[in-house]
Amino acid sequence: MNQKTQVFISGAGPSGLAAALFFAKNGVPVRIIDKNRQRSDKSKALGVQAGTLESIDYYLDPEMTKKMITQGQKVSSAYLHIDHREPITVDLSVISSNYNFVLILPQSETERILEEALEKYGVKVERNTELVDFEQNDNRVLIKLSGETARADFLLGCDGAHSTVRHKLNFSFKGSPYDGDFILGDVQVNWPWPKDSIRIFINAKGTIACFPIKGGMYRLVLIPKFSKPSKESDMTSAEFQSITRELSGGKIETLDPQWMTRFRVHHRLAERFRNDRVFLVGDAAHIHSPAGGQGMNTGIQDALILAQKLTKVIQGKEAYSSLDNYEKERRPIAKSVLRATDLVSRMGLAKENALLHATRRYLIPKIVKFKPFQRYVAHGISEVGIARKQIQKNPSF
Ligand SMILES: Cc1cc2nc3c(=O)[nH]c(=O)nc-3n(C[C@H](O)[C@H](O)[C@H](O)COP(=O)(O)OP(=O)(O)OC[C@H]3O[C@@H](n4cnc5c(N)ncnc54)[C@H](O)[C@@H]3O)c2cc1C
């Protein structure tokens, strides 16, 4: 069966869903498929940054932002425990936004909220449907799916790190994996501190970052310096507890794990984000380490900016050539996010030596206590500056 539609989206993660919702809301005929049978229930990306909330307000619906905030947990402070000494407080409420906090909301919830809003516009994600190949000419894209061929004016590859769309475009995805595993677990914690803030423990053995999830759970991200990359993604609760104990100097006990995984993190950037009528969005175009919680946020913002540009072109309000600006605007942003998250990740994984020890012990505490530095970091992580610049360049109708 051939179906005509204006925008075809492959991949219903946060990037694909955000783009589809923008099109549906603005009356652009859109189809969105996903090869998976059902929406993932994994919490994956947890931090929704203020810049993303402002973008959702502006491009989608302030009611959606409210819903996300109600479902999530607002966090306004972080504590940095260096070498098991007294923690240094980092005030996140200095972010200059109405959303002066980090919203902790499991990715599965963000996706559910986006998908439910999409369904209200009569657009359903077509699951168990895989993009296998495509070809394009001057007017259209022919998309080969498992079971049918579809046609559309534009194709968006929102199909994640292993993007078929990117492979078929033959774009390189340069970068490399980090030398060591990242371990995630959604668990209950037993520790001597209040359970409402982000806590980060850094010492000679590695790093633990802890994020409160609504309902009393914590997401722990363990980055041990002593681990060799493992092929196994599964791990036992005993193994998780043992690494947590080692990295926290025995201060954190974990109980009742809901989800644990071990994975290798890559940092990579696609050589281009567009070939004529075909675009790459989100993880299909750039993947980062989870340090700073930027991956999903950058993807959602890519999606909204591109959807805005395409809608203007489809509705005859902008010239086709204006689409060139998508890659011009978004690739440098992805590159700078990659640079920042790469630096932090390398520092976290670097082998212990006298210089690193002295830097952590004497220099980092001084810098982190310096309020203007805290403001600079909180503002950078919030992506507020990036989001507002993009909104200025891409105003709504
Ligand atoms: C274990 C884990 C933990 C993470 N933790 C964090 C974190 O703490 N902070 C953070 O910011 N980021 C984190 N991330 C990264 C974050 O999840 C991604 O940045 C985000 O999911 C990107 O969204 P996306 O929509 O671009 O791609 P994805 O979420 O990967 O979605 C792509 C979708 O495309 C579908 N698809 C793929 N190929 C095809 C095809 N050929 N045809 C049809 N459909 C297809 C897939 O089924 C998938 O649903 C984590 C990722 C993982 C795996």
Side-chain angles (χ1 to χ4, degrees):
M1 180 180 63
N2 284 341
Q3 289 201 8
K4 283 192 180 176
T5 195
Q6 278 183 299
V7 179
F8 194 97
I9 299 177
S10 180
S15 307
L17 289 167
L21 184 55
F22 185 94
F23 291 121
K25 185 171 177 283
N26 289 286
V28 175
V30 60
R31 273 183 80 182
I32 174 165
I33 61 157
D34 199 288
K35 68 178 180 184
N36 286 344
R37 281 179 186 277
Q38 54 200 28
R39 196 171 53 225
S40 165
D41 60 358
K42 302 290 182 276
S43 58
K44 296 197 274 186
L46 275 187
V48 185
Q49 309 295 353
T52 304
L53 295 172
E54 288 191 3
S55 300
I56 290 175
D57 263 6
Y58 186 77
Y59 290 116
L60 295 175
D61 183 359
E63 287 305 313
M64 173 168 291
T65 324
K66 276 193 203 142
K67 200 180 262 181
M68 290 171 77
I69 292 172
T70 313
Q71 301 289 323
Q73 165 126 348
K74 296 193 231 173
V75 178
S76 308
S77 49
Y79 293 88
L80 188 61
H81 300 244
I82 299 178
D83 289 342
H84 311 300
R85 293 152 111 196
E86 273 303 294
I88 303 168
T89 312
V90 179
D91 182 8
L92 300 171
S93 70
V94 295
I95 298 167
S96 60
S97 167
N98 290 337
Y99 306 119
N100 59 342
F101 48 81
V102 175
L103 179 68
I104 305 290
L105 182 69
Q107 182 172 328
S108 47
E109 282 300 289
T110 301
E111 290 180 16
R112 182 183 61 76
I113 291 169
L114 287 166
E115 189 168 348
E116 284 177 5
L118 186 61
E119 283 173 1
K120 290 211 175 109
Y121 288 98
V123 179
K124 267 192 111 50
V125 175
E126 299 169 44
R127 298 201 178 269
N128 202 15
T129 307
E130 182 168 359
L131 178 147
V132 187
D133 205 351
F134 65 86
E135 55 187 66
Q136 58 176 324
N137 60 31
D138 287 348
N139 306 310
R140 295 233 122 191
V141 192
L142 268 183
I143 301 142
K144 203 168 156 219
L145 307 176
S146 43
E148 66 163 300
T149 301
R151 288 164 200 276
D153 291 348
F154 298 99
L155 168 65
L156 270 52
C158 302
D159 48 353
H162 303 287
S163 169
T164 306
V165 174
R166 189 188 64 241
H167 284 298
K168 296 288 171 193
L169 286 172
N170 237 341
F171 288 171
S172 69
F173 200 36
K174 280 201 185 127
S176 55
Y178 290 102
D179 189 19
D181 283 334
F182 282 55
I183 298 162
L184 301 188
D186 291 349
V187 294
Q188 301 278 352
V189 289
N190 203 349
W191 65 24
W193 306 287
K195 294 182 183 161
D196 55 359
S197 305
I198 296 171
R199 289 191 180 264
I200 299 173
F201 301 79
I202 304 178
N203 54 63
K205 295 193 168 165
T207 302
I208 310 186
C210 313
F211 304 89
I213 310 175
K214 208 171 182 178
M217 303 285 292
Y218 253 82
R219 152 74 62 84
L220 264 53
V221 182
L222 316 180
I223 314 170
K225 293 189 190 207
F226 47 81
S227 84
K228 282 271 154 276
S230 161
K231 286 204 174 93
E232 295 292 317
S233 63
D234 289 342
M235 64 182 330
T236 63
S237 163
E239 225 182 322
F240 189 87
Q241 170 67 71
S242 145
I243 299 173
T244 306
R245 238 184 250 135
E246 178 139 26
L247 293 184
S248 68
K251 289 261 170 47
I252 309 177
E253 289 289 322
T254 59
L255 315 148
D256 193 20
Q258 302 285 306
W259 178 51
M260 288 176 305
T261 185
R262 165 175 28 211
F263 65 110
R264 208 151 177 218
V265 173
H266 293 240
H267 58 116
R268 297 183 183 277
L269 182 66
E271 69 176 302
R272 292 180 51 203
F273 282 16
R274 173 188 176 208
N275 181 337
D276 207 358
R277 293 180 171 271
V278 181
F279 297 80
L280 296 180
V281 181
D283 272 21
H286 45 78
I287 49 171
H288 328 137
S289 119
Q294 306 288 293
M296 180 185 74
N297 290 276
T298 312
I300 291 177
Q301 291 177 46
D302 286 346
L304 295 175
I305 298 295
L306 176 60
Q308 159 86 341
K309 288 184 187 301
L310 278 170
T311 301
K312 284 189 174 172
V313 169
I314 288 166
Q315 296 180 345
K317 294 173 180 144
E318 293 275 357
Y320 186 81
S321 59
S322 68
L323 296 175
D324 293 347
N325 291 330
Y326 171 64
E327 180 174 312
K328 275 192 203 148
E329 288 171 19
R330 296 306 298 178
R331 197 168 179 279
I333 289 171
K335 211 171 173 178
S336 76
V337 171
L338 261 164
R339 218 179 291 124
T341 53
D342 184 44
L343 179 72
V344 176
S345 308
R346 278 186 200 287
M347 277 171 62
L349 285 164
K351 294 249 168 336
E352 183 70 356
N353 59 35
L355 180 65
L356 197 62
H357 175 81
T359 308
R360 196 175 57 242
R361 193 96 198 203
Y362 305 108
L363 189 62
I364 294 182
K366 278 209 171 66
I367 297 176
V368 173
K369 281 180 191 158
F370 189 50
K371 294 287 175 201
F373 176 79
Q374 289 195 3
R375 248 196 307 279
Y376 174 78
V377 172
H379 185 75
I381 289 176
S382 77
E383 295 197 9
V384 159
I386 293 173
R388 288 189 191 153
K389 257 190 221 147
Q390 291 281 283
I391 287 171
Q392 255 174 21
K393 281 189 189 158
N394 298 277
S396 211
F397 305 101

